[in-house]
Every structure is written in C-alpha cells, then in structure tokens.
Amino acid sequence: MRILASTAAVATAAVGLAACGGSDDEGSGGGGGGESASSVTVLSSLPLQGASKDQLAAMVNGIKLALDENGGKAGSVSVKYQSLDDSTAQAGKWDPTQTGANARKAVSDKSVVAYIGEFNSGASQISMPVLNQAGIAQVSPANTAVGLTTDEPGAESGEPQKYAPTGKKTYMRIVPRDTIQGQALLATLKKEGCTKVAVANDQETYGAGLAKVMGLKAQEAGITITSNTGVQPDAANFRAYAAKIKGEGADCFVFSGVTANGAAQIYKDVDAAIPGVKLYGPDGVCESGLTNPGKGGLPKALAERFKCTVATLELKSYPGGNEFLTAYTKAYNDDAPDPYAIYGYEAMKLILDTIEKGGPEKANRAGVLEGLLATKDRDSALGKYGFDENGDTTLTAYGLYEVGDDGNPKFAEQIEATATR
C-alpha cells in the first residue's frame, strides 16, 4: 500500500534529518557501526487512525506476538519495541509531517536498529531517504508501489534512486509489488468476463501507479480499459464521472486507490449510473472500512458485487498459518484477525532472527542491515522467501477476496501472477 508524498514533503523530511545529527554512528546501544550491543530497539510506524485502523491494530498485535514468543530477546540481545502512529486524527490517514517525525525519531534514538513501516507507499517515500542516510534497515509489511524498488512501468521519474541518497540499499518489503498486483487484477477481470473496464484512480502514488500498470498490461491480458481517470478524492460526489463511463459502455469498474479517498462514494455513484456493474479494487480498499455497512462502508447489495485483490491469503493457507492463528487467538482472544497480522508477525520475526544470527557483535544498524539484505530461502510462516537485488520479496501470490455475510472481506482464491516488464 500506498499514497502520495509530494517532492516537497520528501525534501522537508530529508532536511529534518540534519537536525537529528544525520547518520552519526557513534552513539551507544545498537546504533551505527561496529559496536556490540546487549539491548536494541525495533520501531514501527503505521497509521493507527482512520479507515485502516482495524487492519493496523491486527498488524501491531502480530508484531508484539513475535516478540513475546521470543521472550523479548533475539538470542542474548534484549529487544524493545515501540509502536508509532504515522497518521493524525485530522487527516484520518497517514500524514507526511507525522511520518517524517517518526523517521527522524528513529534516527535520533541510537538504540534503533530496524524500522517496520510504512503501511502506505507514499509514507515510505517520506521515511525512506531519512532512514537511508542513517543506515537504518526498513522492512515494509505492506508497501506495493512499483517505484519504491524498481523503475518498472508504473514508477515515477527518478525512482527508486531518489529514496536512497547514500546509494546503498536500506529498504525491503515482504509483499509483492504492484507490477504483480496489476496483473493479478487483470487476470481476475478477464476470468470474470469483463469486456470494457473503466478505471478511476485517486491521483496518489499507490493508486495512480497501479492504474498505470493496469493500463500498460491490459492489451496483453486481453482486456479493454475504456478510460483511466484521476478523480478528486474529497469530491462531494462522482456522478459526472459515473455518467461518463456509462457512455463508454463500461461493464466493470475498478477504483485504484485507498478507502479514505472517496472509495465508498465513487462505488455508489458508479452503481447508480450503471446498475449491476461489477465492482473491483486492489488492496487499498480491500478492508472492512469499505465493505462493511456497519462501519460506514458500502450497502450490502453493492458489497455483494465487490471483489478485491490483496497480498495476503487466508491465514490457514500459509505454511505456518495454523500455528500463527492458534498463538494469535490465545494471545488476543480473536480467531479471525485481519490477514495483515501475519505480515506484522513475520516482519518482526525476520528482524529477531537476523539479530540472533549475527549475535551481539552485529546487533547494530550496519550489522542488522547486512543480515536482512542477505536473506535468501528463509523458512517463515508465510512460506519460503528471500529478497532480490532490489529489496523485493520473492513471494508472488495475491489473494482474491469477496465480501462475506458479516460484511468483511473473505478469502476466495489464490492468484499467481508474474512480474513482466
């Protein structure tokens, strides 16, 4: 996942790094270069307010569960965890200023050796260059925007180089990028008989980038996209847009964006203009905040026609899913957590295992980063994976979800897609 970070916001965050002492490696604890450490800190930066708050609460619980299972340690090294919120109540989603502050907090705390985040790709545009200059390993459990790691179609000018001002890689993600999600969505549309597909995007990094990927790959997939339109997220309604795509003869509609950016309203207006239209979306809207009428989401009749893709599968389908679910249920009295919980769990487990393998002498920023980047053929709750030369996971599966009787997204099937340029 996602959202826009302006060039100015990235610059502001990077400038703020200087006030925290830049990439000074001479601090105590786990920071910097080659010193040994008996105690380190892992920090997460995730949006804990707004439409995605339930997903993120489950993810934070997964992070805590991994640390609790290890008794708060990685081998002989004590590990502290701090959860930071990159959202604000006023924004109702992630906020650039808050995200920058979180990244600078990580830099200034010399005990911080790893950073879990961000959830939204646009937020990572803010934090990545700040953390990169300090040499802090960043593991995202949810980012999918293409340009964070590659210059494949869908990337913006200067990506991904502008997020690594030191020229060294510090960012990794454990979910497949939108090059894969775009093709998973197209495969779904083709399978379900869509002939003319209208795509709207929320004009933000994640939404616009994914829509671009779909447009570039549509012909190859045998899909006709009638239009790809950037819409104003805070518009009062989208009736004029809905009338436009009705005139195009659209029989299927995809909103490429996040729930907070007018998703429920645009689906309602499109359905009103084209009764019975098939409705689709990516992981940015694949959440109960959109699908559950009790949470202000779509009416039940619309939700029943909505399907979405997300880089999570049914928990029980993961190699370590049953074991994770048993432990999560025992810890939190919840036997049906959002699937993103297991990605939070694996992000922390990966970091803990890396610290333990390196030992106290490598329990510092440089040592942890080196260990994480070297991850190959890792046996995990998600299955076996590693990171390629770009910091992308080798996992490729996406899940297709439909809306269950309880109004929440329910896993329907697994989609395997490839990342062709």
Side-chain angles (χ1 to χ4, degrees):
M1 289 175 65
R2 40 269 145 189
I3 315 181
L4 176 67
S6 68
T7 302
V10 173
T12 299
V15 168
L17 174 63
C20 293
S23 57
D24 179 8
D25 290 341
E26 297 178 358
S28 60
E35 67 273 15
S36 177
S38 60
S39 177
V40 298
T41 299
V42 176
L43 183 152
S44 71
S45 175
L46 303 164
L48 306 180
Q49 303 174 79
S52 301
K53 66 180 184 298
D54 291 342
Q55 282 184 317
L56 276 301
M59 183 178 283
V60 169
N61 282 345
I63 294 171
K64 291 178 179 178
L65 177 61
L67 186 57
D68 288 346
E69 286 182 347
N70 273 45
K73 286 181 170 288
S76 63
V77 180
S78 294
V79 179
K80 299 176 183 178
Y81 168 56
Q82 185 174 7
S83 171
L84 298 183
D85 188 355
D86 70 7
S87 66
T88 62
Q90 182 177 6
K93 57 183 181 180
W94 80 274
D95 177 81
T97 300
Q98 188 60 50
T99 302
N102 289 354
R104 294 191 295 275
K105 179 178 177 63
V107 172
S108 65
D109 182 347
K110 296 302 180 180
S111 73
V112 173
V113 298
Y115 183 101
I116 299 174
E118 311 290 336
F119 186 67
N120 300 93
S121 294
S124 285
Q125 288 182 318
I126 297 287
S127 60
M128 284 172 70
V130 179
L131 299 171
N132 180 263
Q133 291 184 68
I136 298 176
Q138 180 174 4
V139 179
S140 172
N143 288 165
T144 58
V146 174
L148 297 180
T149 55
T150 80
D151 62 354
E152 291 174 347
E156 300 174 357
S157 177
E159 291 183 328
Q161 292 81 5
K162 63 185 178 182
Y163 306 126
T166 66
K168 298 178 180 179
K169 185 166 296 299
T170 53
Y171 173 88
M172 293 140 276
R173 52 178 159 195
I174 57 177
V175 291
R177 64 195 181 281
D178 280 335
T179 309
I180 299 172
Q181 177 166 213
Q183 295 186 82
L185 265 171
L186 289 169
T188 299
L189 295 170
K190 179 69 172 178
K191 181 179 179 180
E192 302 211 337
C194 294
T195 59
K196 292 185 177 181
V197 181
V199 178
N201 73 78
D202 61 4
Q203 301 191 69
E204 300 195 351
T205 297
Y206 162 73
L210 176 58
K212 183 177 180 181
V213 170
M214 292 182 67
L216 292 169
K217 296 295 181 179
Q219 185 175 0
E220 180 182 317
I223 296 291
T224 297
I225 292 184
T226 61
S227 60
N228 171 21
T229 306
V231 297
Q232 188 64 33
D234 59 357
N237 65 73
F238 301 92
R239 291 193 290 267
Y241 168 76
K244 169 181 173 291
I245 65 170
K246 178 181 180 180
E248 296 170 353
D251 57 7
C252 295
F253 170 69
V254 177
F255 176 65
S256 181
V258 297
T259 301
N261 286 342
Q265 189 62 50
I266 197 167
Y267 282 119
K268 291 175 186 177
D269 288 345
V270 167
D271 179 73
I274 314 173
V277 64
K278 296 179 180 179
L279 306 172
Y280 301 90
D283 59 329
V285 292
C286 203
E287 59 188 4
S288 59
L290 174 76
T291 63
N292 195 317
K295 296 182 179 181
L298 298 174
K300 190 173 185 298
L302 267 69
E304 289 175 346
R305 283 186 278 112
F306 173 77
K307 295 183 179 181
C308 50
T309 54
V310 63
T312 60
L313 309 178
E314 184 179 36
L315 286 175
K316 293 181 180 180
S317 70
Y318 289 108
N322 284 319
E323 184 178 354
F324 167 78
L325 190 56
T326 297
Y328 190 98
T329 301
K330 182 178 179 180
Y332 302 109
N333 194 31
D334 180 0
D335 63 359
D338 187 278
Y340 267 118
I342 199 170
Y343 279 83
Y345 176 83
E346 170 53 21
M348 178 59 92
K349 285 288 287 185
L350 169 65
I351 293 166
L352 294 174
D353 289 349
T354 300
I355 295 171
E356 180 174 5
K357 184 178 179 180
E361 64 275 13
K362 288 202 171 183
N364 52 64
R365 291 177 180 178
V368 173
L369 175 60
E370 178 185 7
L372 287 171
L373 289 172
T375 301
K376 304 291 181 187
D377 296 322
R378 170 177 167 78
D379 288 316
S380 77
L382 303 176
K384 184 169 287 190
Y385 76 95
F387 297 119
D388 66 15
E389 66 277 8
N390 300 315
D392 278 313
T393 180
T394 56
L395 296 170
T396 59
Y398 263 81
L400 179 66
Y401 285 73
E402 53 193 21
V403 180
D405 292 337
D406 60 359
N408 299 323
K410 179 181 178 182
F411 179 79
E413 62 181 278
Q414 180 173 326
I415 308 168
E416 289 287 349
T418 56
T420 57
R421 291 188 69 93

